[in-house]
Amino acid sequence: MLRAARYLLGSPGASGFGSRSTAEEVTPDLGATTAIITGATSGIGAETARVLAKRGARVVIPARSAKAAEDVRARIVAECPAAAVLVLPLDLSSLASVRAFADRFLALGLPLHLLINNAGKFSHGQLALSEDGVEMTFATNYLGHFLLTKLLAGRMAETAAATGVQGRIVNVSSSVHGWFAGDWAEYLHLVTRRKIPYDATQAYAVSKLANVLHTRELAARLQEMGANVTANCVHPGIVRTRLNRDRDGVLTGEGTDSAQSAC
């Protein structure tokens, strides 16, 4: 209880930062760093892209909507003219698109230090399947990120070995992963074949549970490989973003623009 109260009051923890600390305050200089951030056209991802670019990182924004990504890029460059921001097409719900994105990125010959799997989907309608026949929330939140990470992990390990700088893979999950109990594979099987009613919250919880399980296994395998790359799973807390844009309310409405500052 005391720990929760300290958090809500914004008291700094062992790191020296607290719940009122901003992204700009906690992010160090990132010159010569290359980062890929999914879901960077709005919300947490857009702010992450802005701050990393401001701190000197080359930021790659994968996006389904080229216009939305270019708008984010334009805002970042307007604030930080020297920012290096690259936009590449990617639809995480399509395994073919994920492979095409990875091929394009790898062909550029760029290093890769940081992969932030942030993009997320919460369905508010009926069951929808991806082009690969997978429940859409699971396909977007987990399966696409799983394949993306698998295809780029080698480049991350190579970059870390060549530079001596530890690589980081960050999977953005949610404490909602604990809302699902049972056999998630069987659940998806039954839902996909419409043998049980579709529940958007359960589908989201399953996708977030998969993120956590993926991170745990990935961390172990990276260690076995001897790769100087870490894998972490984070719960960002309750944040007012466009994830729940179809459900306006006290906690779900779209948030205000983040504070801007000059480079």
Side-chain angles (χ1 to χ4, degrees):
M1 181 66 73
L2 178 60
R3 182 179 179 182
R6 288 174 58 84
Y7 172 80
L8 292 173
L9 291 172
S11 300
S15 66
F17 302 109
S19 61
R20 294 183 181 178
S21 299
T22 67
E24 292 187 11
E25 291 172 343
V26 305
T27 307
D29 176 75
L30 294 172
T33 297
T34 299
I36 293 177
I37 309 166
T38 67
T41 57
S42 65
I44 298 172
E47 176 65 1
T48 302
R50 183 186 75 83
V51 174
L52 265 57
K54 181 175 181 178
R55 288 289 183 260
R58 178 194 291 114
V59 174
V60 180
I61 299 179
R64 279 188 310 169
S65 169
K67 182 182 184 305
E70 289 295 347
D71 287 346
V72 170
R73 180 184 180 280
R75 289 198 297 270
I76 293 174
V77 173
E79 181 184 350
C80 307
V85 182
L86 176 65
V87 173
L88 292 175
L90 171 64
D91 179 352
L92 279 165
S93 72
S94 163
L95 297 182
S97 179
V98 173
R99 293 184 186 280
F101 169 84
D103 287 343
R104 288 190 184 96
F105 176 79
L106 294 173
L108 294 173
L110 295 173
L112 182 57
H113 305 83
L114 180 59
L115 173 61
I116 302 178
N117 292 320
N118 162 77
K121 174 182 178 58
F122 189 106
S123 174
H124 298 289
Q126 301 299 314
L127 170 68
L129 302 181
S130 71
E131 65 181 44
D132 301 295
V134 180
E135 189 277 318
M136 189 64 79
T137 301
F138 189 81
T140 304
N141 294 358
Y142 167 69
L143 197 59
H145 282 132
F146 169 84
L147 180 58
L148 181 66
T149 302
K150 179 179 177 63
L151 296 174
L152 298 179
R155 176 58 56 85
M156 294 195 72
E158 292 169 3
T159 299
T163 64
V165 178
Q166 187 178 71
R168 293 192 179 187
I169 298 169
V170 180
N171 290 329
V172 179
S173 184
S174 168
S175 61
V176 173
H177 80 274
W179 293 10
F180 180 83
D183 185 330
W184 61 268
E186 177 66 12
Y187 172 81
L188 286 173
H189 172 80
L190 295 175
V191 163
T192 302
R193 285 155 182 75
R194 304 179 190 277
K195 294 184 177 180
I196 59 175
Y198 181 70
D199 183 315
T201 300
Q202 283 288 284
Y204 183 76
V206 167
S207 73
K208 294 291 116 177
L209 174 60
N211 289 150
V212 174
L213 296 176
H214 173 217
T215 306
R216 289 173 61 92
E217 181 63 22
L218 177 61
R221 294 200 180 194
L222 288 169
Q223 188 172 34
E224 290 174 359
M225 290 168 52
N228 187 21
V229 179
T230 64
N232 300 275
C233 201
V234 300
H235 164 59
I238 298 174
V239 184
R240 297 180 65 187
T241 72
R242 297 181 68 246
L243 178 66
N244 272 315
R245 57 187 175 274
D246 296 330
R247 292 186 178 181
D248 292 333
V250 175
L251 294 178
T252 60
E254 184 174 353
T256 57
D257 291 339
S258 56
Q260 303 291 305
S261 59
C263 287

